[in-house]
Amino acid sequence: MSQTLAAKIIADHLVDGQMLPGKEIGLRIDQTLTQDATGTMTYLQFEAIGLDRVRTELSVSYVDHNMLQTDFRNADDHRYLQTVAARHGIVFSRPGNGICHQVHLERFGAPGKTLLGADSHTPTSGGLGMLAMGAGGLDVAVAMAGHPYYIPMPEIVRVYLTGSLPAWVSAKDIILELLRRLSVKGGVGRIFEYDGPGIAGLTVPQRATITNMGAELGATSSLFPSDEQTLRYLRAQGREQDWRPLAADPGAEYSQTVEIDLSALEPMLATPHMPDRVVPVSQVAGTPVDQVCIGSCTNSSVMDLETVGAMLQGKIVAPGVSLVVSPGSRQALAMISRSGALTSLIAAGARILDAGCGPCIGMGQSPASGAISLRSFNRNFKGRSGTADAGVFLAGAEVCAAAALTGVITDPRTLGEAPCVAMPEQYDIDDRMFIPPVEDNTSIVVVRGPNIKPLPTRDVLDDTQQGEVLLVAGDNITTDDIMPAGSKVLPLRSNIPAMSEFVFGTIDRSFPERALAAGGGFVIGGENYGQGSSREHAALVPMYLGVKAVIAKSFARIHHANLANVGILPLTLEDPTVASRIKHGDLLRIAGLRHALRSGRSLVVENVTGGWQFTVNADLSARQEEVVLAGGMLNYIKLQTKGGA
Ligand code: MIC
Ligand code: SF4
C-alpha cells in the first residue's frame, strides 16, 4: 500500500498500537532534546526513574532560555544540567552554543529518525525529513529511559506547494498563510507533510522556519521529504553520512490536501495577540514601530541574518526604533562575523545579544508601555514580551529589517531589489561547545543549587473528586496564560512552590491564594485549552495548588498529555454550551471515577451549587487512565516497577 512519509517513519518506530487515526500508538524514540527551562524538571524526573544512563541513541541538553543570570539561580541550574548530563550519558550544549532547535538542525537532526523534545518547537528538525515532536518534560524523561512515547495516531495532511516564492516573500509567509487559513487550532491531532513541485526550491533553513511554526497550528509535527536540498544541507554541515532519500509513495492517501501557490504569496504578518491573526503587510503599512527583534528558533539562521545584514549595510536604524538581533546559534554568529554581516548590523545600530531565545521568551528587551514590537519570532501572546500592553507583530526577517530602517511597518517590495542570499555551501563546523558523555560516569557528582527543590507529587486519585470552580476561562488559553515565563518567573522553573505564586498571573492574580485556601478545585476552559508551549509547569504547578480537573471544550495535544501525566483529569464537555452555565465558585462533584473511567463511560459532574448535572469525557487511552488514577506518571512507573497497579 502507498504510504505517506510520516506513516513510513511511524511504521518504522511503532512498538505499540495500530496506526488508526485517533488510536493511541507507542513510538520508539531515537533522539531527545531538552532546554534549560524545561530541562531541570525533566532531569529531576529522569533521576526519579532511577536509571544510570539514557537508553536513546542520542540525548542532548541545551541551555538557551534562561541566560540572563540576574542572580545565582539560572547559573545554578546550568551547573545542575551540566553535571546531570555527564552523570547519565547526555550530550551537553553549553550556554552560548545556541537555541536548541537551530543547533539540533545544524548538528544532529537526521532524516527518518524520531526526535522527542521538551519544547513545543521541536518539529523544526522536520525540515530534514525527521519525525520530530514536542512533549512535556516527563514524557521526554520516560523516552530517555527507553520507554515508548505515546500519542494518538495523527491524521496526515498534505501541504502541496506549487510555484516559487516571489522576491521579498519568504518561507515565513508560507507558514503565516497556513495559519491564516487554518488558525491556531487547525493542526491539532495532525501531521503536516509538505510536498509538490514548490518544495524543490526551498532550502533546509527555509523548510525549518515552516516546520518550526507548525507548532503554532497546534500540529503534532510537520515534515518535508529528504531530497537533494536535504543532502545539500547535510553535506554543507559535514554530515553527508546522515542523509538518506525519503519521500511519500506516489498515490499515498492523506486525510486532507491544502494547496498553496507560492508565486501568489505576498509578505505577511501576524497582528497582536495571536499567530493566526495574519494580514498582508501592505494592509498595515505605515504603522509606527518602536522595537524590532530578529532571531528566535524560527528565523535566526545564517541565511536570515545575512539577509538582514545586506539590507542594513551602510544604513542606520530609524531613530524611533530599537533593533535587537539574537542569533540562533554560535555557528550562525561566527559565520556572520566572518562574512562581515555582523559588522554591518553593529554599524547600523543593531543591539546584538548572545545566541539564545532572549526576548522571544521575555528574557530581557521588553518593549515600552503600549509599544509596537515587530519580531521575526513565532509567538505573540499577550504579555509574553514582558510588557502587558505592548502589541507584538510577527513577520519574516525581511519585513522586520524593512521596518527597522523606515520606522514604520513597510512592505519590503517597496524597497527596490531584494538581496540575494544563498545557503552556504560549507558551514563553519566547530563542535567544541558540546560536551560529549564520558564512558565512566560513576564518579560524577550531580551538583544541585539551593533553588532546586524536590518534585511535587500527587497521591493516588480518590474515587470522588469534589471542589469549587476556581476559574472560568475563555477560548485559546495559552500555557503562557497559565504559567507565564519571563525573567521573573523562569529562574524558578526548578522550584515549584515559588513558581506557584505566578499561576494564571495574566488572568487572575488571586488564583494561587484562592486555590490554596479552597484546598484545590476545578478550572473551566474553552476551546484549545493549553495551546502554545510544551511547558509541563502549566500542569505541575496547578497540581501543586490542588487543581483536580480541568474541564474544557477542547484541549491542545501536549497540554492534555501533561495534565494526565501529573494526575489532573483533563475532561472535555460533551455539550460545549453548558460551559456558560458553570459559574465561578460553584461546587462540583464527580463520583465513581475509577469505574466510569475503566469502563469507558462518560463521567457525570454534579453541579452541587446549581443543582444540575452535565457530562464530560476523559478522552484518555487505557494507559493514560491508569496514569491519571495513579496520581501521575511517576507514581504509575513506580507502581509498574513494583508489579502492582
Ligand atoms: C516557548 O517558546 O514558549 C518555550 C519557552 O520555548 C516553551 C518551553 C518552555 O516553556 O520552557 C515551548 O515552546 O515549549
Ligand atoms: Fe526559544 Fe522562542 Fe524558540 Fe521557544 S519559541 S525555543 S523561547 S526561541
Side-chain angles (χ1 to χ4, degrees):
M1 203 184 91
S2 305
Q3 273 185 314
T4 63
L5 170 55
K8 285 186 192 183
I9 305 180
I10 291 174
D12 245 12
H13 291 83
L14 191 70
V15 286
D16 204 359
Q18 273 182 304
M19 291 166 59
L20 301 171
K23 293 269 172 255
E24 192 174 71
I25 51 169
L27 296 176
R28 190 182 70 250
I29 296 300
D30 301 321
Q31 302 185 352
T32 63
L33 71 77
T34 57
Q35 38 88 344
D36 50 329
T38 52
T40 48
M41 201 45 73
T42 310
Y43 295 111
L44 287 169
Q45 286 157 339
F46 181 77
E47 288 185 296
I49 297 174
L51 276 189
D52 185 49
R53 283 185 95 91
V54 291
R55 298 207 168 142
T56 45
E57 287 174 13
L58 172 81
S59 287
V60 191
S61 169
Y62 293 92
V63 180
D64 51 8
H65 282 64
N66 300 331
M67 309 256 287
L68 274 185
Q69 297 175 224
T70 45
D71 61 26
F72 66 91
R73 288 174 296 190
N74 285 165
D76 278 8
D77 281 353
H78 299 175
R79 197 160 49 185
Y80 166 69
L81 289 170
Q82 181 161 353
T83 51
V84 83
R87 176 70 191 83
H88 296 291
I90 297 150
V91 177
F92 183 68
S93 172
R94 297 164 64 187
N97 206 27
I99 307 175
C100 54
H101 311 302
Q102 176 62 32
V103 180
H104 208 83
L105 185 83
E106 291 168 359
R107 306 306 306 143
F108 300 114
K113 300 245 179 217
T114 51
L115 166 67
L116 192 68
D119 192 285
S120 60
H121 289 103
T122 305
T124 311
S125 285
L128 282 170
M130 177 171 214
L131 184 64
M133 294 161 289
L138 187 45
D139 277 327
V140 176
V142 169
M144 286 194 290
H147 297 281
Y149 174 55
Y150 289 92
I151 46 166
M153 174 67 198
E155 286 181 7
I156 310 201
V157 176
R158 180 190 208 186
V159 187
Y160 191 75
L161 304 183
T162 59
S164 57
L165 289 174
W168 290 114
V169 180
S170 72
K172 184 71 155 262
D173 299 312
I174 304 176
I175 187 66
L176 287 176
E177 171 64 10
L178 263 184
L179 277 154
R180 189 184 71 77
R181 292 198 205 171
L182 303 179
S183 92
V184 288
K185 45 180 213 281
V188 178
R190 295 159 150 200
I191 291 181
F192 288 77
E193 192 170 305
Y194 290 81
D195 189 14
I199 65 168
L202 296 174
T203 61
V204 167
Q206 289 175 303
R207 294 175 178 188
T209 293
I210 298 170
T211 52
N212 170 282
M213 228 179 146
E216 276 50 65
L217 291 164
T220 302
S221 191
S222 300
L223 79 171
F224 276 80
S226 170
D227 57 9
E228 284 301 310
Q229 287 281 7
T230 325
L231 175 61
R232 238 187 96 208
Y233 181 78
L234 287 172
R235 188 181 286 143
Q237 290 283 357
R239 299 202 287 123
E240 196 174 339
Q241 74 283 359
D242 289 338
W243 185 72
R244 59 181 174 116
L246 276 179
D249 294 325
E253 273 182 34
Y254 294 86
S255 68
Q256 192 194 339
T257 297
V258 184
E259 196 171 324
I260 301 180
D261 175 6
L262 303 184
S263 313
L265 291 181
E266 57 180 305
M268 281 182 286
L269 46 69
T271 61
H273 299 284
M274 275 296 153
D276 59 359
R277 299 209 177 131
V278 175
V279 298
V281 172
S282 52
Q283 200 170 306
V284 284
T287 310
V289 169
D290 304 280
Q291 183 191 49
V292 173
C293 302
I294 293 170
S296 94
C297 53
T298 322
N299 276 116
S300 58
S301 65
V302 177
M303 281 176 81
D304 285 319
L305 302 179
E306 285 288 346
T307 305
V308 178
M311 286 176 69
L312 264 55
Q313 195 185 10
K315 309 212 169 93
I316 189 83
V317 172
V321 175
S322 168
L323 170 65
V324 176
V325 177
S326 40
S329 66
R330 171 168 164 271
Q331 182 186 67
L333 181 55
M335 287 179 72
I336 60 165
S337 154
R338 210 159 36 75
S339 75
L342 180 61
T343 312
S344 303
L345 293 175
I346 295 170
R351 301 165 64 182
I352 311 294
L353 305 180
D354 57 350
C357 300
C360 179
I361 191 59
M363 288 302 264
Q365 304 298 325
S366 296
S369 302
I372 294 296
S373 178
L374 176 61
R375 303 175 159 207
S376 74
F377 302 172
N378 48 32
R379 290 191 171 140
N380 60 346
F381 304 142
K382 201 168 170 28
R384 181 174 162 103
S385 65
T387 305
D389 62 358
V392 176
F393 289 71
L394 306 172
E398 294 81 352
V399 175
C400 290
L405 287 172
T406 61
V408 294
I409 291 180
T410 301
D411 187 332
R413 292 174 302 179
T414 60
L415 296 183
E417 215 175 301
C420 176
V421 173
M423 195 193 84
E425 284 309 323
Q426 180 63 59
Y427 282 89
D428 281 7
I429 295 157
D430 175 359
D431 287 337
R432 287 174 301 164
M433 288 289 277
F434 292 109
I435 302 184
V438 288
E439 205 48 56
D440 178 15
N441 58 356
T442 44
S443 60
I444 291 165
V445 177
V446 178
V447 186
R448 285 163 228 276
N451 189 41
I452 299 197
K453 296 282 184 266
L455 281 174
T457 48
R458 164 156 282 183
D459 289 337
V460 171
L461 254 51
D462 288 340
D463 212 34
T464 300
Q465 296 290 323
Q466 175 168 312
E468 69 180 67
V469 173
L470 298 166
L471 185 80
V472 180
D475 289 346
N476 290 322
I477 291 296
T478 70
T479 51
D480 279 85
D481 292 323
I482 305 168
M483 197 60 262
S487 56
K488 254 201 255 139
V489 189
L490 278 187
L492 306 173
R493 281 285 178 98
S494 0
N495 186 344
I496 301 298
M499 233 192 157
S500 69
E501 289 167 28
F502 298 89
V503 176
F504 287 115
T506 57
I507 302 180
D508 180 348
R509 288 232 177 105
S510 67
F511 183 89
E513 210 183 305
R514 288 190 296 105
L516 279 179
F522 294 82
V523 169
I524 311 298
E527 299 282 4
N528 201 22
Y529 182 86
Q531 67 154 330
S533 142
S534 67
R535 65 189 68 142
E536 64 190 328
H537 296 78
L540 255 178
V541 183
M543 180 272 270
Y544 172 78
L545 291 177
V547 171
K548 300 166 198 286
V550 178
I551 302 176
K553 293 182 187 169
S554 66
F555 288 89
R557 176 186 70 90
I558 301 179
H559 190 61
H560 184 267
N562 284 345
L563 287 171
N565 278 347
V566 300
I568 295 182
L569 289 157
L571 303 174
T572 313
L573 288 163
E574 202 160 85
D575 172 7
T577 60
V578 305
S580 58
R581 290 180 61 199
I582 310 171
K583 303 282 175 254
H584 191 121
D586 281 358
L587 181 67
L588 304 184
R589 181 186 302 140
I590 307 175
L593 191 63
R594 279 199 154 58
H595 181 66
L597 277 186
R598 287 185 174 143
S599 59
R601 286 216 216 114
S602 301
L603 298 167
V604 175
V605 185
E606 200 188 330
N607 187 326
V608 182
T609 314
W612 55 287
Q613 295 185 338
F614 57 97
T615 330
V616 292
N617 291 309
D619 294 331
L620 298 167
S621 67
R623 181 192 57 88
Q624 282 179 311
E625 281 164 14
E626 296 310 317
V627 168
V628 94
L629 289 173
M633 179 66 94
L634 286 179
N635 291 356
Y636 172 77
I637 290 185
K638 279 183 206 145
L639 282 175
Q640 277 211 323
T641 326
K642 278 193 216 139

